[in-house]
Amino acid sequence: MQLFSHQDFILADTMETDKTKVIPEFLEKSITAINRGSVYGAPFSKFRAQCPDCVVEMNASIARFRLLKYKRINFVIEDLLTGAYLIKNSKEIEGHVKATRFNVRNDPVHYMLRPGMFSESKLQAFNLAIIKNKQNIKKLTDKYYQALDVAKPAI
């Protein structure tokens, strides 16, 4: 999960860029949009409890980025690849939104499937498709990481 800002925002070079243990103070004077129901880790949960007015929950990524474009909010926390995809493919926000170097949470992606959604054989086929297409998935994700000025997460 990466912190995105308006193109005009300048992040200090001293900002920690690896494993984040503390949420930066500048967020306490800001409004940050997040995805309703997502998990952002213990430091962000603590920050959110201390500053509930600093966080706005919204369902749609593009809606969060639109608010950022028009400077109605200060930041968006979004999955890095989702943000990269939107920046690269949405003419509406291109040139207005950027990824900062501030990583809110760096964990692998896990698919959450409702029990009974897939039979055991379909679940195995789903998992096997991911394994078999690992190189293609890497090529696709690398394409979007290259569009950003941030390091690819080591997961």
Side-chain angles (χ1 to χ4, degrees):
M1 293 300 212
Q2 201 77 16
L3 186 71
F4 288 82
S5 71
H6 191 275
Q7 193 69 34
D8 297 342
F9 179 74
I10 299 171
L11 187 63
D13 289 336
T14 57
M15 181 63 59
E16 183 179 350
T17 58
D18 289 334
K19 272 214 155 187
T20 305
K21 296 178 176 67
V22 178
I23 299 300
E25 288 181 21
F26 66 79
L27 284 183
E28 294 174 10
K29 299 175 183 105
S30 305
I31 298 174
T32 302
I34 64 170
N35 184 30
R36 187 181 322 274
S38 288
V39 177
Y40 298 97
F44 189 79
S45 293
K46 182 179 176 185
F47 161 74
R48 188 173 180 190
Q50 292 172 343
C51 190
D53 293 338
C54 298
V55 179
V56 176
E57 291 184 341
M58 300 177 69
N59 289 332
S61 298
I62 191 67
R64 292 189 290 275
F65 280 103
R66 282 184 188 128
L67 288 178
L68 191 55
K69 171 188 174 181
Y70 293 113
K71 299 182 181 180
R72 305 279 178 154
I73 58 173
N74 306 99
F75 302 100
V76 167
I77 298 175
E78 186 63 64
D79 171 74
L80 183 58
L81 282 175
T82 301
Y85 177 84
L86 289 172
I87 289 169
K88 187 173 173 96
N89 293 295
S90 173
K91 297 294 181 195
E92 181 182 6
I93 63 168
E94 183 183 34
H96 298 281
V97 174
K98 68 178 180 181
T100 69
R101 294 181 314 280
F102 185 74
N103 188 295
V104 176
R105 186 174 175 120
N106 189 9
D107 289 327
V109 172
H110 297 277
Y111 293 99
M112 296 188 338
L113 304 172
R114 184 178 65 247
M117 184 175 179
F118 288 124
S119 65
E120 188 61 36
S121 63
K122 285 190 179 190
L123 183 59
Q124 287 176 1
F126 180 78
N127 289 331
L128 188 59
I130 292 171
I131 293 166
K132 282 184 175 180
N133 288 291
K134 197 168 190 162
Q135 282 300 90
N136 290 334
I137 293 168
K138 182 183 178 330
K139 284 179 191 175
L140 181 64
T141 57
D142 284 350
K143 172 182 166 183
Y144 290 101
Y145 284 123
Q146 290 170 4
L148 299 173
D149 186 26
V150 294
K152 180 179 175 180
I155 51 175

